[in-house]
Amino acid sequence: MRKLNSYFNIRFSDGKLTFIDQRKLPFSEEYITTGDYKVIAEAIKNLAIRGAPAIGVAAAYGLALSVQQDDDPGKFEDAFYTLINTRPTAVNLSYALKRVKKACENSTSIYQSAIAEAGKIFEEDVIMCDKMAENGIVIFGDSPKTVLTHCNTGKLAVAGEGTAFAVIKFAFSKGLVNMVYADETRPLLQGSRLTAFELSKNNIPFKIINDSSAAWVMKNKKVDLVITGADRIASNGDSANKIGTYSLAILCKHHNIPFYIAAPSSTIDINTGTGKQIIIEERDSSEITSVSGKGVTLSEYEVFNPAFDVTPAQLISGIITESGLFTFPYNFK
Ligand code: MRU
């Protein structure tokens, strides 16, 4: 029998970090346990660990682990730069690393202070996920809705229950979700591999659609609302999220469907005024020229592979955070 909800994303115990290897999902649930920050940095780069809050939490533990043996400030500094340079778009990464670094200033044990701060970041994320779920319930009104989502925003993307996924899961528990359309999310298929896995684990009815079906599904089937996560939200509300999110927001406008984002405050970057300032990660061309390691076109063909896009604030019906539901015009300070 399928084990419901039996998986976890990240856990720290006995001086080691254990995380699920998301590259293997949904076919096998394999965990990696390490005390080496370089293994964690590599896992963030190659998306074994992914999702904005999750990479922040994992990096925070990684930074602490870099000084587990000898409390060496030089090693701590090297690890900080290695970890912060793993991925550029999700602000949760630098948010978490800077917090850990600050907590260690003037400390008698860098390791102890760093581990304590990483633990706080983890616990806060769990609470923020629960609050987002509660704050998001209002967008469902009082009748069951059909929801469309993009990329993966569940347990696999955070330390707690998720961002947009937690909102959907809580609404489902209240009888307010009929079913979910999960965009497959090319090129790395976070939707068909990870969101489908999580919806299935939670017994939430769903259908996977390919990304280019979204317009047609909105026109011909009933989609009541779209909700996604975010990787960085500028202070004016412009929101970077997985490539394809911007297209969805435009489609929502055309079809008169509300488009929401759910993200914790650790995703809001008050130092970034607008989306124009957000660095968009470009990933390897092989992610486009092959699928699951098998070539689908000639590898020498030129490719443009942005991992994220930015949805302008005015296309976002509401941003759900742990503090409430915000609407346009956004002014995060
Ligand atoms: O490249 P990924 O898989 O790390 O991208 C993740 C996303 O875009 C999520 O939608 C985002 O992190 C918000 S959900 C926590």
Side-chain angles (χ1 to χ4, degrees):
M1 201 175 100
R2 188 163 50 90
K3 281 188 268 162
L4 288 175
N5 231 338
S6 56
Y7 64 104
F8 66 89
N9 186 13
I10 298 168
R11 255 182 214 167
F12 185 78
S13 71
D14 300 329
K16 287 197 159 65
L17 192 74
T18 300
F19 57 90
I20 196 163
D21 185 346
Q22 299 196 31
R23 297 166 302 176
K24 305 270 172 67
L25 290 170
F27 302 106
S28 82
E29 295 175 37
E30 291 176 35
Y31 291 85
I32 295 172
T33 296
T34 185
D36 183 348
Y37 84 87
K38 288 186 182 147
V39 172
I40 296 170
E42 203 43 46
I44 294 172
K45 264 194 196 162
N46 65 30
L47 271 59
I49 304 172
R50 48 143 301 281
I55 63 177
V57 170
Y61 279 115
L63 185 54
L65 287 170
S66 71
V67 287
Q68 191 179 36
Q69 305 304 332
D70 45 18
D71 235 48
D72 177 343
K75 278 193 186 164
F76 188 74
E77 205 58 21
D78 286 351
F80 179 87
Y81 286 105
T82 302
L83 288 160
I84 209 164
N85 286 318
T86 48
R87 298 192 74 190
T89 304
V91 72
N92 309 64
L93 181 67
S94 57
Y95 162 85
L97 288 168
K98 285 176 187 165
R99 256 185 75 170
V100 171
K101 197 174 178 188
K102 190 158 180 22
C104 296
E105 282 168 9
N106 308 318
S107 160
T108 47
S109 162
I110 310 177
Y111 178 65
Q112 290 304 336
S113 304
I115 273 299
E117 194 64 16
K120 271 192 209 161
I121 295 168
F122 184 106
E123 294 304 332
E124 285 171 22
D125 186 68
V126 173
I127 293 167
M128 289 194 289
C129 288
D130 292 346
K131 292 212 165 126
M132 274 183 277
E134 286 166 20
N135 292 338
I137 199 82
V138 290
I139 68 174
F140 291 82
D142 50 16
S143 60
K145 301 285 187 288
T146 297
V147 181
L148 190 150
T149 190
H150 191 67
C151 196
N152 171 265
T153 64
K155 254 191 203 179
L156 296 170
V158 295
E161 284 297 322
T163 58
F165 190 93
V167 173
I168 295 168
K169 183 177 164 179
F170 186 57
F172 178 71
S173 76
K174 302 276 178 206
L176 291 171
V177 175
N178 288 321
M179 63 99 56
V180 176
Y181 285 108
D183 271 1
E184 69 172 345
T185 317
R186 275 282 287 153
L188 295 180
L189 307 175
Q190 287 92 333
S192 56
R193 293 188 306 108
L194 309 177
T195 301
F197 172 82
E198 299 208 78
L199 288 163
S200 164
K201 287 278 190 185
N202 285 283
N203 269 339
I204 301 173
F206 70 93
K207 284 186 179 149
I208 299 167
I209 56 170
N210 73 23
D211 302 340
S212 40
S213 300
W216 195 240
V217 170
M218 286 179 186
K219 185 166 166 62
N220 294 293
K221 306 271 180 189
K222 208 167 88 68
V223 175
D224 297 303
L225 62 94
V226 172
I227 180 165
T228 73
D231 288 80
R232 188 183 297 238
I233 300 177
S235 63
N236 74 341
D238 291 349
S239 297
N241 190 48
K242 181 54 55 193
I243 191 75
T245 305
Y246 176 35
S247 320
L248 282 181
I250 292 170
L251 294 179
C252 281
K253 189 171 167 67
H254 181 78
H255 292 98
N256 206 17
I257 294 168
F259 172 86
Y260 293 99
I261 281 184
S265 54
S266 52
T267 301
I268 298 172
D269 183 2
I270 54 166
N271 298 316
T272 293
T274 75
K276 281 204 181 101
Q277 293 158 256
I278 300 176
I279 297 170
I280 298 296
E281 177 182 7
E282 283 181 35
R283 294 185 62 88
D284 200 81
S285 60
S286 60
E287 292 180 354
I288 304 282
T289 57
S290 61
V291 174
S292 305
K294 192 175 179 319
V296 289
T297 187
L298 298 184
S299 59
E300 69 258 32
Y301 287 169
E302 281 212 28
V303 160
F304 173 51
N305 182 20
F308 302 95
D309 56 28
V310 177
T311 300
Q314 57 273 27
L315 293 180
I316 304 170
S317 312
I319 297 179
I320 300 153
T321 78
E322 74 277 11
S323 308
L325 169 65
F326 298 85
T327 51
F328 186 80
Y330 304 98
N331 187 14
F332 294 112
K333 286 282 170 233

